[in-house]
Amino acid sequence: MQEMQPNHKKSLTFWLFFLVIFGLMNFMIYNRFVKQQVTEVGYNVFMKMIDDKKVKEASITSSQIIFMDDQGNTYKTGLVEDSDLYERLYKSDATFGAEIVEPMNPLLYYGIMFGVQILLIFILWRFMTKRITKKMGDDPDMMSFSLGGRGKNTGRIYVKSKNDVRFKDVAGEEEAKELLSEIVNYLHEPQKYTEIGATLPKGALLVGPPGTGKTMLAKAVAGEADVPFFSISGSEFVQMFVGMGAAKVRDLFKQAKEKAPCIIFIDEIDAIGKKRDTSLTSNDEREQTLNQLLSEMDGFEENLGVVILAATNRPESLDPALLRPGRFDRRIPVELPDLKGRIDILRVHAKKIRISENVDFETIAKTASGASGAQLANIINEAALKAVREGRKVVQQDDLMESVEVVIAGYQKKNKILTNKEKLVVSYHEVGHALVAAKQSNSAPVTKITIIPRTSGALGYTMQVDEDERNLMSRSEILNKIATLSGGRAAEELIFSEITTGASNDIEQATKLARSMVTRFGMTEDFDMVAMEVVTNQYLGGDTSLACAPETQTKIDRMVVDIVKEQHQKAAQILKDNMQKLHEIAKHLYENETITGEEFMAILNSEENTLVSGTEV
């Protein structure tokens, strides 16, 4: 006898499961709503209930009497010769002679219900199958290469389309594109590499912060290579039942081998590729899935034409066996773009909207220092939305500058009303930052000061933009930045002899910089070049943990406090030396709510020293 196919076994299992579940449901429904409980009683009880006028209906047959009381309960009793029975029923106002329906035969009930339910399920299945088939036919860019099921992967295979993402659509990551172009060339012309005896790495790992374009780069490889491209997320391998994740891996690689040359892309591979350990909290299913992935990657024959791409934000969490030569042996960093990269990314996304010819992308890119590709795309989109809200059909420079502030600090809170005192405090606070920054060397120029509240919670902010791209910070530059962060609090103390909660974010940033100087950057004489802190998850916020003795931690805390305190005093002295300018600029900001960097420098460099008449509020 021929062995039953796996798909047939799965179908049989499904229908058996379906029959059991619906059998239980029908049994419960029958007993609760269909089956009537008939109580057998003696003839004397029947007669007493007639005399008490509790019999509502009665059906007299040749062998028994079935009757129902005024509460809806059904009874039956044997038939006894009683010539006065009909007269007695008549006097009790009972309805007799009416047929009382007995409970339905269970077999008949189950047969009808199962037949109806199976028919409905069959009709629904046929309808869904047609819909899925039609959808796959209408969408030539994406086809499902597996409809799922136990042990089947749920990935997608992308085929060539008119709207493919190409390398020209990805800007700001030239090094990554160059490395990936080699993979594309290998898939197109493998003989060039085999002639010289070179073999292409089997796996390439894209690592970098969120929003830098790792997934888009993988799609661009698919568009350029013009080969089948299997895409699946690491979390799709994770299953509740042991063995199913490994089965999905086997199925994925089996289909990839059949369609070689091709590319497999696994997004967020850290979901299954974490380091294996022997702790009690280890996940057997995830480790089995990882073992299967390692086995499949190591089992490829040379020049088979299957290339594996993967993306992650947490490369330090991956298992070393996954990163060894022969598996993911090429690591491609996809970092935050530099100034030129930001300009190129802005130009790429600007092609999708109507934009003014006099827009200066370099100025926008400088203002958006540290932004990822996704944030830059959002800046372009926010600028277009702002233009539409204001009834214009072309995006202008002001729209883009405002959209940078929206992405960084949030939207303006137009319904947020500050009291006069709060508005004055915020004015002096922000001017304190700007004035300390302007009076120090090696500080980024001030480009804008505002006291308009934002949805991020900021009541105001001072924007500084470096003229050039900065990759390194000296010790003096970090100290100047801590002093600038302390300028807001110092201004509050000098003018109002009182402090507010508005400096909370400044304090947090200043403390973080000072601690990094001590524990990570080796900028103190006491610790020299010894690292006291370890950074983890560098692409996801950079969590840190101290790696030193408790006594050393106490010393670190004292040194951090001394650094911040010293720069706080330095900021206060700068403001004392420029008190007249502090009053003058704060008054201008209080009246106008926003001033540009040019206006700020013009007032600062002017010879007139117009004082605010008092500081009472």
Side-chain angles (χ1 to χ4, degrees):
M1 185 174 65
Q2 187 176 5
E3 184 180 358
M4 185 177 292
Q5 296 296 324
N7 288 338
H8 293 166
K9 292 182 179 179
K10 293 174 183 177
S11 299
L12 180 59
T13 302
F14 169 77
W15 284 109
L16 288 175
F17 179 76
F18 164 79
L19 291 175
V20 171
I21 293 298
F22 275 86
L24 292 174
M25 289 176 58
N26 289 327
F27 178 76
M28 294 171 62
I29 294 172
Y30 177 81
N31 282 280
R32 177 66 180 84
F33 299 105
V34 179
K35 183 179 179 181
Q36 300 178 8
Q37 298 295 330
V38 180
T39 305
E40 188 172 356
V41 298
Y43 192 80
N44 60 326
V45 175
F46 173 53
M47 298 301 294
K48 187 176 186 307
M49 291 177 66
I50 292 176
D51 295 339
D52 294 341
K53 295 187 177 181
K54 292 184 178 180
V55 177
K56 183 179 179 182
E57 296 181 19
S59 175
I60 304 172
T61 66
S62 59
S63 60
Q64 64 180 357
I65 300 174
I66 301 174
F67 61 96
M68 184 184 299
D69 64 9
D70 51 2
Q71 301 297 322
N73 300 316
T74 304
Y75 305 87
K76 69 178 180 178
T77 186
L79 185 63
V80 178
E81 292 186 7
D82 188 351
S83 58
D84 297 331
L85 175 59
Y86 292 103
E87 182 178 355
R88 208 177 276 115
L89 288 170
Y90 179 77
K91 289 180 179 180
S92 66
D93 296 328
T95 303
F96 54 94
E99 183 179 358
I100 298 176
V101 178
E102 293 191 50
M104 180 183 293
N105 188 298
L107 293 178
L108 178 61
Y109 168 78
Y110 288 138
I112 294 174
M113 290 299 295
F114 267 109
V116 172
Q117 289 169 355
I118 292 175
L119 180 62
L120 290 175
I121 291 294
F122 177 76
I123 294 173
L124 180 62
W125 177 75
R126 292 287 297 175
F127 174 75
M128 293 301 296
T129 303
K130 290 181 179 179
R131 288 289 299 273
I132 293 173
T133 304
K134 183 178 184 300
K135 186 175 182 179
M136 290 172 60
D138 292 341
D139 188 1
D141 299 342
M142 185 179 73
M143 297 184 300
S144 171
F145 66 81
S146 176
L147 294 178
R150 190 180 189 278
K152 289 287 184 178
N153 65 73
T154 55
R156 296 177 298 275
I157 176 171
Y158 290 88
V159 295
K160 186 176 180 181
S161 70
K162 296 180 181 179
N163 299 321
D164 275 345
V165 178
R166 301 300 180 98
F167 281 145
K168 62 181 177 62
D169 301 318
V170 183
E173 300 294 344
E174 301 306 318
E175 294 81 4
K177 288 196 292 184
E178 183 178 350
L179 292 172
L180 291 172
S181 296
E182 192 174 52
I183 294 176
V184 174
N185 292 334
Y186 173 81
L187 292 172
H188 283 165
E189 299 177 291
Q191 65 276 5
K192 290 199 310 183
Y193 297 86
T194 56
E195 286 176 359
I196 199 172
T199 59
L200 196 71
K202 295 180 182 178
L205 185 65
L206 304 174
V207 299
T212 50
K214 297 183 290 298
T215 304
M216 183 174 288
L217 275 170
K219 290 182 179 179
V221 171
E224 295 286 345
D226 192 20
V227 295
F229 180 80
F230 295 83
S231 173
I232 190 169
S233 173
S235 60
E236 295 184 48
F237 290 111
V238 180
Q239 298 291 323
M240 181 176 66
F241 301 104
V242 176
M244 290 185 65
K248 285 195 172 195
V249 172
R250 286 193 296 271
D251 184 63
L252 172 64
F253 280 83
K254 177 183 177 182
Q255 296 185 60
K257 291 176 184 179
E258 293 173 352
K259 295 183 179 294
C262 66
I263 297 171
I264 296 175
F265 176 60
I266 305 175
D267 199 7
E268 304 296 347
I269 194 173
D270 51 274
I272 59 170
K274 290 182 181 178
K275 295 177 183 177
R276 292 164 290 182
D277 53 40
T278 57
S279 63
L280 296 176
T281 58
S282 62
N283 188 320
D284 289 340
E285 167 61 8
R286 181 175 58 78
E287 291 188 4
Q288 286 191 23
T289 305
L290 174 59
N291 291 335
Q292 185 64 42
L293 178 62
L294 296 174
S295 175
E296 293 289 347
M297 291 185 68
D298 207 31
F300 282 156
E301 299 176 1
E302 291 186 2
N303 302 323
L304 186 61
V306 178
V307 175
I308 308 164
L309 299 179
T312 182
N313 309 123
R314 303 174 60 190
E316 69 282 347
S317 69
L318 296 180
D319 194 278
L322 200 60
L323 304 177
R324 75 157 176 79
R327 292 183 178 132
F328 285 110
D329 45 11
R330 174 169 290 189
R331 180 164 169 164
I332 301 177
V334 188
E335 303 286 349
L336 293 172
D338 57 11
L339 177 60
K340 182 180 182 303
R342 292 195 299 274
I343 295 174
D344 294 339
I345 292 172
L346 288 170
R347 292 186 185 278
V348 167
H349 292 289
K351 293 178 182 179
K352 304 174 185 177
I353 64 173
R354 294 183 178 180
I355 195 164
S356 176
E357 295 180 357
N358 59 355
V359 167
D360 184 3
F361 287 108
E362 184 175 355
T363 301
I364 306 299
K366 288 181 178 179
T367 307
S369 178
S372 66
Q375 288 175 316
L376 294 170
N378 193 25
I379 286 172
I380 296 292
N381 187 60
E382 288 290 345
L385 295 175
K386 182 176 182 292
V388 172
R389 283 195 298 269
E390 296 183 0
R392 286 182 279 103
K393 295 185 178 180
V394 177
V395 175
Q396 301 175 353
Q397 180 82 7
D398 291 342
D399 298 325
L400 289 165
M401 291 298 295
E402 173 63 24
S403 66
V404 172
E405 297 179 46
V406 167
V407 172
I408 294 174
Y411 291 94
Q412 295 182 6
K413 295 187 71 172
K414 298 180 180 179
N415 58 345
K416 182 82 171 181
I417 300 175
L418 300 178
T419 65
N420 291 334
K421 181 176 181 179
E422 290 176 333
K423 189 175 178 181
L424 190 61
V425 170
V426 176
S427 298
Y428 275 99
H429 183 104
E430 297 303 332
V431 173
H433 288 309
L435 197 55
V436 172
K439 289 298 180 178
Q440 295 182 115
S441 59
N442 299 323
S443 291
V446 175
T447 58
K448 184 176 182 178
I449 313 173
T450 180
I451 57 172
I452 299 176
R454 294 277 174 168
T455 53
S456 64
L459 299 179
Y461 64 90
T462 301
M463 181 181 292
Q464 295 176 258
V465 178
D466 280 307
E467 292 293 336
D468 301 315
E469 189 77 3
R470 306 291 292 275
N471 298 305
L472 296 173
M473 287 186 72
S474 65
R475 184 177 187 276
S476 60
E477 288 173 341
I478 297 178
L479 292 174
N480 286 346
K481 186 160 184 68
I482 295 174
T484 300
L485 291 167
S486 304
R489 170 59 65 84
E492 293 180 17
E493 294 170 337
L494 290 174
I495 303 302
F496 303 99
S497 299
E498 184 64 274
I499 57 178
T500 68
T501 59
S504 60
N505 185 254
D506 302 331
I507 294 171
E508 182 180 347
Q509 292 188 54
T511 305
K512 186 176 181 180
L513 281 173
R515 183 170 290 276
S516 297
M517 289 178 64
V518 176
T519 61
R520 294 174 52 207
F521 302 151
M523 292 182 174
T524 58
E525 294 181 358
D526 292 22
F527 296 139
D528 197 33
M529 293 183 62
V530 178
M532 299 295 175
E533 206 169 41
V534 178
V535 179
T536 57
N537 294 334
Q538 59 173 329
Y539 296 127
L540 296 175
D543 300 331
T544 58
S545 59
L546 286 171
C548 56
E551 296 81 5
T552 307
Q553 294 181 21
T554 303
K555 189 174 182 180
I556 290 172
D557 291 338
R558 290 199 190 104
M559 296 174 69
V560 170
V561 171
D562 291 341
I563 291 173
V564 175
K565 185 181 291 186
E566 181 182 350
Q567 298 308 309
H568 184 190
Q569 294 171 353
K570 175 184 173 182
Q573 187 60 47
I574 291 174
L575 295 178
K576 286 178 182 178
D577 296 340
N578 297 271
M579 186 66 72
Q580 293 179 349
K581 290 300 179 183
L582 176 62
H583 287 307
E584 188 176 352
I585 299 171
K587 177 186 176 183
H588 187 77
L589 180 61
Y590 179 84
E591 293 173 349
N592 296 276
E593 295 188 338
T594 299
I595 59 176
T596 63
E598 291 80 6
E599 292 173 330
F600 168 74
M601 293 304 298
I603 300 173
L604 184 61
N605 296 327
S606 66
E607 296 182 357
E608 298 179 3
N609 295 324
T610 306
L611 291 176
V612 177
S613 56
T615 58
E616 295 182 1
V617 291

